[in-house]
Amino acid sequence: MKMLIIYYSAYGHIRTMAEAAAAAAREIPGVEVTLRRVSETLSDDILGKMGALEAAKAQADVPVVTVEELAEADAVLFGTPTRFGNMTAQMRQFLDSTGGLWMKGALVGKPGGVFASSATQHGGQESTILSFHTYLLHQGMVVVGLPYAFQGQMRIDEITGGSPYGASTIAGGDGSRQPSENELEGVRFQARYLAEIGLKLKG
């Protein structure tokens, strides 16, 4: 079963989550995981002004995803930071290039899920994931969230991301906060859950 993890990460938080998800999914026998990023649309000059140039260059080792790879996948997990309660423009640009897959029904019946990040605790993580779900539904995909079987999202002893819609992390206003172990475990759980559903559907 081919599982594809596609992400965009401006400062590295979502990449950390994506790598944790990939490692967890690879623990499932019969699952082949490919990690890809969407292409950057901002110039080096703009990225430099945002303080994101170093993080962007550090991701050069991760290949840019193609539409063909999306079509070949049996299950897909998407990761995106939040921009005003929605996905990033970079992720949207990639999704907008997949109209041909919609025309062919190439993604119908395949499971898909989303994880996200935001600067603040209530910065739009849930709305980002929920609005991303509309893409999955238009493509005829089976939406897979983060069930309450992962009880880490019930914690109140620490600030943490995570909801039934998908795993998430809080980056902090200056981006200094890295994903916590609880948040990483959330995306690992979601990745394994998605992989297991992908195996069942493919089988």
Side-chain angles (χ1 to χ4, degrees):
M1 195 278 292
K2 295 181 179 179
M3 181 170 170
L4 181 62
I5 299 177
I6 306 173
Y7 76 92
Y8 174 76
S9 187
Y11 297 98
H13 300 80
I14 287 293
R15 178 181 181 173
T16 298
M17 297 278 279
E19 289 173 339
R26 290 186 179 116
E27 296 172 0
I28 308 297
V31 177
E32 176 186 318
V33 182
T34 300
L35 184 65
R36 293 289 185 266
R37 61 185 172 90
V38 299
S39 59
E40 181 58 78
T41 61
L42 300 176
S43 67
D44 285 354
D45 181 55
I46 296 298
L47 289 171
K49 291 176 180 177
M50 293 171 56
L53 184 57
E54 185 176 334
K57 289 183 176 180
Q59 299 177 72
D61 60 314
V62 181
V64 172
V65 68
T66 66
V67 172
E68 291 73 25
E69 287 177 305
L70 180 56
E72 293 166 0
D74 299 305
V76 188
L77 185 59
F78 298 90
T80 179
T82 293
R83 295 290 184 269
F84 304 104
N86 212 322
M87 72 180 76
T88 63
Q90 292 86 346
M91 181 63 72
R92 171 56 64 190
Q93 182 183 58
F94 172 70
L95 299 184
D96 284 349
S97 72
T98 65
L101 301 186
W102 174 78
M103 290 288 290
K104 298 174 183 175
L107 302 182
V108 172
K110 298 181 180 183
V114 184
F115 62 95
S117 69
S118 65
T120 61
Q121 190 174 5
H122 303 289
Q125 296 177 10
E126 292 186 358
S127 63
T128 294
I129 294 173
L130 286 170
S131 59
F132 204 126
H133 284 170
T134 60
Y135 171 79
L136 306 184
L137 292 167
H138 274 265
Q139 288 283 14
M141 300 182 76
V142 178
V143 177
V144 176
L146 180 64
Y148 280 110
F150 172 66
Q151 297 197 349
Q153 62 183 295
M154 301 283 287
R155 296 181 67 165
I156 58 172
D157 61 323
E158 65 177 57
I159 294 175
T160 187
S163 74
Y165 316 117
S168 59
T169 186
I170 303 160
D174 60 359
S176 62
R177 182 184 185 274
Q178 296 303 308
S180 70
E181 181 55 35
N182 190 58
E183 292 167 337
L184 291 172
E185 191 52 42
V187 81
R188 292 181 190 120
F189 189 106
Q190 186 178 9
R192 287 191 294 262
Y193 183 54
L194 178 64
E196 289 166 353
I197 291 174
L199 281 169
K200 291 177 181 178
L201 291 176
K202 186 173 175 62

